[in-house]
Amino acid sequence: MKRFRSLAALAAISALALSACGNSDSGSDASADPSAAGSGGVTKIVVGASPVPHAEILKFVSENLAADAGIEIEVKEYSDYVLPNDDLQAGDLDANYFQTLPYYEDQVGMKNFTFDHGEGVHIEPFGVYSDKITDIKDLPDGATIAVPNEPSNQARAMLLLAKHNVFTVKDVKMPTIYDIDKNPKNIQLTEAEAPAVPKLLPDVDAAVINGNFALDNGLVPSKDAIILESPENNPYVNVVAWNTNEDANKLAAVKKLDELLHTPEVADYIKKTWPDGEVLPAF
């Protein structure tokens, strides 16, 4: 009987030891989990971005600043303006960095996204490009100009063209191709998704192109644009957006990323990478 009790006691001690080891391993796993809140480890976030310049700026932050801030950044590149917000709302992204503030406001208002955003990180001056003319005054009668089809970018294009006397537009907040007022040269406008506008250059007299898509297609805004938007007091700053329904740990990491994007190191990187003003810090 004593022998039986001794064996039972030994078994109980072994079980406790195993249980203790199990608890220790569990705690170790939690601290190693990159997304574990309060673990003191690294928090991984997935950020959607346009390839240029957004993804390049994020990669600089990832390689030079993120580790010391306790975050790991996975960059998911997008070539359109619709999916990054849809995926953020769906929870497939922890943040995105691709859009201007007016576009953000338009999309949130239209689709009721549960988003918030940071301050402006950079500006990519909008430009008018042409394979046929070198001065906007040389547009022929009946010339065709390609513009983005998305409302906020189209308004930006319309206002830029109006500022340079291509035509006048009605006094509305976001003019579209249907809001031309006076059109002495009978300019024709053709719409396309923003990434596709540069591809239309051979077939039109001019095209109004977003800065990042100009860069994507080998165009240097400061050298190739026949009109270039001024960055001074420009409302079209690019911002980081996040879903306010995200868990607290991920939200804290995203806001840390936003802080890193506003550091002197990032400003210097932008200036050195795009020395001709194709991309400008907004802070």
Side-chain angles (χ1 to χ4, degrees):
M1 188 68 174
K2 289 181 179 178
R3 176 176 171 79
F4 175 78
R5 287 176 179 169
S6 297
L7 290 172
L10 182 59
I13 292 169
S14 298
L16 285 171
L18 286 171
S19 175
C21 288
N23 288 338
S24 175
D25 288 346
S26 176
S28 176
D29 288 345
S31 65
D33 181 355
S35 61
S39 66
V42 174
T43 302
K44 180 179 178 180
I45 52 175
V46 181
V47 185
S50 298
V52 181
H54 308 77
E56 294 186 14
I57 295 171
L58 288 173
K59 288 173 184 175
F60 170 80
V61 172
S62 177
E63 293 170 1
N64 297 275
L65 306 174
D68 288 342
I71 59 176
E72 177 185 344
I73 305 166
E74 178 184 333
V75 180
K76 184 176 180 181
E77 295 188 3
Y78 290 82
S79 60
D80 76 298
Y81 278 173
V82 176
L83 285 176
N85 278 336
D86 289 347
D87 286 355
L88 181 59
Q89 184 67 29
D92 297 328
L93 299 173
D94 299 306
N96 65 40
Y97 171 42
F98 77 101
Q99 60 195 320
T100 63
L101 185 56
Y103 180 78
Y104 167 94
E105 292 171 341
D106 176 68
Q107 292 296 297
V108 169
M110 184 169 59
K111 297 185 178 180
N112 296 314
F113 289 136
T114 55
F115 293 173
D116 199 358
H117 67 86
E119 297 298 318
V121 178
H122 75 270
I123 297 168
E124 303 153 45
F126 232 47
V128 179
Y129 300 79
S130 176
D131 288 343
K132 299 178 174 64
I133 59 172
T134 57
D135 191 318
I136 197 68
K137 296 176 182 178
D138 295 332
L139 278 171
D141 288 346
T144 301
I145 301 177
V147 297
N149 64 358
E150 176 276 313
S152 67
N153 279 319
Q154 187 166 112
R156 189 177 178 183
M158 297 296 290
L159 292 170
L160 181 60
L161 292 169
K163 181 178 180 179
H164 290 269
N165 303 311
V166 175
F167 45 61
T168 63
V169 295
K170 297 173 184 176
D171 186 17
V172 295
K173 183 178 179 180
M174 291 180 62
T176 71
I177 61 172
Y178 304 106
D179 293 314
I180 293 178
D181 187 14
K182 297 178 181 178
N183 190 5
K185 285 192 172 183
N186 193 31
I187 300 297
Q188 306 297 310
L189 299 178
T190 183
E191 298 176 280
E193 292 187 4
V197 172
K199 310 298 184 187
L200 298 179
L201 267 177
D203 305 313
V204 296
D205 295 287
V208 189
I209 303 174
N210 300 61
N212 59 311
F213 295 127
L215 294 172
D216 279 347
N217 286 268
L219 297 167
V220 179
S222 61
K223 297 177 181 178
D224 298 324
I226 60 174
I227 294 176
L228 193 61
E229 193 178 50
S230 171
E232 187 174 350
N233 298 319
N234 194 314
Y236 293 94
V237 289
N238 286 249
V239 297
V240 173
W242 55 84
N243 193 332
T244 56
N245 291 330
E246 182 68 270
D247 72 75
N249 194 46
K250 291 296 184 84
L251 276 177
V254 169
K255 291 179 181 180
K256 176 58 68 174
L257 167 64
D258 193 54
E259 290 176 14
L260 295 178
L261 285 167
H262 291 85
T263 57
E265 292 89 341
V266 170
D268 289 343
Y269 170 77
I270 291 173
K271 292 172 184 176
K272 290 176 182 176
T273 306
W274 295 282
D276 293 320
E278 307 96 309
V279 183
L280 300 168
F283 58 94

